[in-house]
Amino acid sequence: MNAPTATQHLLPEINQREVPAALIEALKARFGEQCSTAQAVREQHGRDESSFEVPPPAAVVFAETTADVADVLRLASQYETPVIPFGAGSSLEGHLLAVQGGISLDVSRMNQVLSINAEDLTVTVQPGITRKQLNEEIKSTGLFFPIDPGADASIGGMTATRASGTNAVRYGTMRENVLALEVVTASGDVIRTGTRAKKSSAGYDLTRLMVGSEGTLGVITEITVRLYPLPEAVSAAICSFPSIEAAVRTTIQTIQLGVPIARVELIDHNTVRMVNAYAKLGLREEPLLLMEFHGSPTSVKEQAETVQEIASEFGGNAFEWASTPEERTRLWTARHNAYFAAVQSRPGCKAISTDTCVPISRLADCLLDSVAETDASGIPYFLVGHVGDGNFHFGYLINPEDPKERETAEALNHKLVTRALELEGTCTGEHGVGLHKMGFLVDETGAGAVDMMRTIKRALDPKNILNPGKIFAL
Ligand SMILES: Cc1cc2nc3c(=O)[nH]c(=O)nc-3n(C[C@H](O)[C@H](O)[C@H](O)COP(=O)(O)OP(=O)(O)OC[C@H]3O[C@@H](n4cnc5c(N)ncnc54)[C@H](O)[C@@H]3O)c2cc1C
């Protein structure tokens, strides 16, 4: 394996193409107030939750229909200008940054539920609807959409990054839950992939190709996803442990025994302290697992008893139950706010997030050595994990003005990824490649696979206008 040097991942290559004035005029003529060149609007669309600074796009177009998206792409293709699709702007790896200039195509106004097919457990939505908004709108059906990244991301952005979240251990990720798409191609044509049928052998699986393509192959304008019946019974519990290892070993055994646990999230003692301060909670400041069980009342009881037994073998304390929906919401909100709690714990810092994911049997090997290395580095950090999936995140809280801190954090990240790849895992379980993990992609898949991705990109986007400079260099 050719391991990249830590410095390869330090800063993105910026090579902004000039955006022709004639294109901006054409966009303004076609879109009127839906097209903005205001500095504040451009800046808001030219950054994300990553730690990189890149000059903003030249303009932002707010699409309201698929025809709007198609017209933007036709004009951008004519003027050979980059287009960066924008959902909710919560991505973490530099996905939205205009490293090659161009315009931002914001689809957040396309936020309607188009059809609910409760009897088939599917819903078709526009890309700008957020996961919380979707669940609000389908509440009366008794169904829910389980995928829940910490941020209130858009379903289009989640599709484009192949996102997951705390429920993935039971319900899968966007890869398993997207059935069909409408996509606008680089030349402005509208195509459909997949159907509402549960399975299909019809040709290449273009839906899977688009899921995780990070805006580089097409702009997603409609998404059909699976829904699930709201579970009859839900119980959530917290269990604290004497060490991270004990929490991790409990998780591994739970998964290996086939307990259909819905959520099992690790928070280390540092991060519990940050969450307590941010959300005014009184959680024990020890490594803990947050868990949720779904099913019939009997099955929930059985699952909880099994996990309790496993936890006590590893020295876990008695479960503290969050029984009412309000208590559960408070708990999971605290988990989802861990990132913001951590960032607030060091004013002015930026978080560099890791996202390795390994087969469940290798989780302890991957995580424990990395904790020791990170402790030794002196960099403040948070640690949370969707550990039931073998996926966890360190967030190194760096002072962005201090190049040494950035370099230390990147070196830690590099070691962690190298370890995860040696353990047959991945550099990114759910956040995607964006800019930050481009070097790691080659290490993970090999040059041949990245070359195949390049061939696909060149065929579908010959002028390289769709979010260029992301995932791999052309
Ligand atoms: C606090 C916090 C917690 C998070 N937790 C998780 C987590 O648990 N799991 C997880 O998976 N992620 C997590 N994330 C990352 C982020 O929320 C996800 O990557 C999410 O899927 C991004 O969605 P978005 O709508 O914000 O997309 P954006 O950030 O707007 O865009 C992301 C990428 O998708 C492309 N894109 C957006 N919309 C479209 C479209 N319609 N068509 C084509 N391309 C498009 C963009 O060009 C970009 O490349 C977290 C982020 C934060 C800040």
Side-chain angles (χ1 to χ4, degrees), residues 180-415:
L181 297 171
E182 179 188 83
V183 177
V184 181
T185 67
S187 52
D189 297 325
V190 181
I191 62 146
R192 287 192 171 272
T193 76
T195 68
R196 287 200 309 107
K198 189 173 176 192
K199 56 188 197 176
S200 162
S201 292
Y204 292 168
D205 191 342
L206 297 181
T207 309
R208 293 295 157 282
L209 179 62
M210 290 294 162
V211 175
S213 61
E214 301 187 10
T216 65
L217 297 180
V219 180
I220 298 160
T221 45
E222 266 183 42
I223 306 119
T224 301
V225 290
R226 293 179 202 275
L227 300 175
Y228 295 82
L230 282 163
E232 199 187 335
V234 176
S235 274
I238 306 175
C239 183
S240 48
F241 290 85
S243 64
I244 294 178
E245 177 162 12
V248 168
R249 301 253 175 236
T250 299
T251 308
I252 294 174
Q253 202 155 319
T254 301
I255 299 298
Q256 287 176 337
L257 280 177
V259 179
I261 194 164
R263 291 164 142 177
V264 52
E265 295 284 309
L266 171 75
I267 308 187
D268 83 324
H269 56 287
N270 263 327
T271 315
V272 176
R273 194 175 324 117
M274 295 167 183
V275 167
N276 274 344
Y278 182 82
K280 313 259 177 301
L281 294 176
L283 301 170
R284 287 165 80 122
E285 295 189 353
E286 289 173 343
L288 57 81
L289 291 179
L290 296 183
M291 289 167 272
E292 197 165 276
F293 307 96
H294 295 179
S296 66
T298 324
S299 121
V300 162
K301 188 166 167 279
E302 273 172 18
Q303 293 174 46
E305 280 169 4
T306 309
V307 179
Q308 250 170 326
E309 261 173 51
I310 300 171
S312 70
E313 266 175 49
F314 291 103
N317 290 299
F319 280 19
E320 287 169 42
W321 292 100
S323 318
T324 65
E326 294 72 32
E327 276 171 358
R328 283 203 303 275
T329 305
R330 191 151 174 259
L331 202 62
W332 290 110
T333 306
R335 162 61 189 91
H336 280 139
N337 282 337
Y339 174 90
F340 302 108
V343 170
Q344 207 179 68
S345 73
R346 189 177 187 199
C349 76
K350 284 273 186 185
I352 294 185
S353 292
T354 71
D355 184 29
T356 46
C357 183
V358 291
I360 193 72
S361 67
R362 320 309 289 273
L363 179 61
D365 300 336
C366 192
L367 182 49
L368 300 176
D369 286 349
S370 306
V371 169
E373 266 163 22
T374 310
D375 281 337
S377 76
I379 292 269
Y381 69 93
F382 68 88
L383 171 61
V384 291
H386 310 305
V387 278
D389 292 326
N391 183 205
F392 59 87
H393 311 297
F394 283 95
Y396 309 118
L397 303 172
I398 61 154
N399 168 0
E401 309 303 326
D402 184 342
K404 266 193 120 165
E405 282 197 13
R406 186 184 282 272
E407 192 151 350
T408 306
E410 293 293 357
L412 288 167
N413 186 22
H414 177 223
K415 271 196 190 163

Side-chain angles (χ1 to χ4, degrees), residues 85 87-91 95 149-150 153-154 158 160-161 163-164 214-215 220 386 430 467:
S90 70
S91 44
H95 292 79
S154 71
M158 289 166 60
T161 54
S164 56
E214 301 187 10
I220 298 160
H386 310 305
E430 55 181 20
N467 205 5

Side-chain angles (χ1 to χ4, degrees), residues 58-261:
V60 179
V61 178
F62 293 89
E64 292 177 358
T65 61
T66 298
D68 286 353
V69 172
D71 284 353
V72 168
L73 286 171
R74 266 186 226 112
L75 284 167
S77 172
Q78 185 187 334
Y79 289 96
E80 304 203 3
T81 295
V83 173
I84 305 161
F86 185 101
S90 70
S91 44
L92 294 166
E93 302 291 350
H95 292 79
L96 295 170
L97 304 183
V99 282
Q100 296 192 18
I103 56 175
S104 172
L105 176 54
D106 183 323
V107 298
S108 61
R109 294 183 188 174
M110 296 174 69
N111 61 358
Q112 300 301 303
V113 170
L114 297 173
S115 63
I116 303 174
N117 289 91
E119 61 283 17
D120 296 321
L121 308 178
T122 69
V123 65
T124 300
V125 299
Q126 290 187 309
I129 192 167
T130 69
R131 65 174 181 85
K132 287 187 186 165
Q133 192 191 342
L134 171 58
N135 274 319
E136 200 49 43
E137 296 204 21
I138 59 176
K139 213 162 59 180
S140 62
T141 62
L143 302 173
F144 80 115
F145 177 67
I147 303 175
D148 64 336
D152 190 17
S154 71
I155 302 297
M158 289 166 60
T159 306
T161 54
R162 208 187 295 133
S164 56
T166 64
N167 280 310
V169 64
R170 174 148 180 166
Y171 298 96
T173 71
M174 290 305 277
R175 180 176 62 185
E176 290 78 31
N177 284 290
V178 175
L179 287 169
L181 297 171
E182 179 188 83
V183 177
V184 181
T185 67
S187 52
D189 297 325
V190 181
I191 62 146
R192 287 192 171 272
T193 76
T195 68
R196 287 200 309 107
K198 189 173 176 192
K199 56 188 197 176
S200 162
S201 292
Y204 292 168
D205 191 342
L206 297 181
T207 309
R208 293 295 157 282
L209 179 62
M210 290 294 162
V211 175
S213 61
E214 301 187 10
T216 65
L217 297 180
V219 180
I220 298 160
T221 45
E222 266 183 42
I223 306 119
T224 301
V225 290
R226 293 179 202 275
L227 300 175
Y228 295 82
L230 282 163
E232 199 187 335
V234 176
S235 274
I238 306 175
C239 183
S240 48
F241 290 85
S243 64
I244 294 178
E245 177 162 12
V248 168
R249 301 253 175 236
T250 299
T251 308
I252 294 174
Q253 202 155 319
T254 301
I255 299 298
Q256 287 176 337
L257 280 177
V259 179
I261 194 164

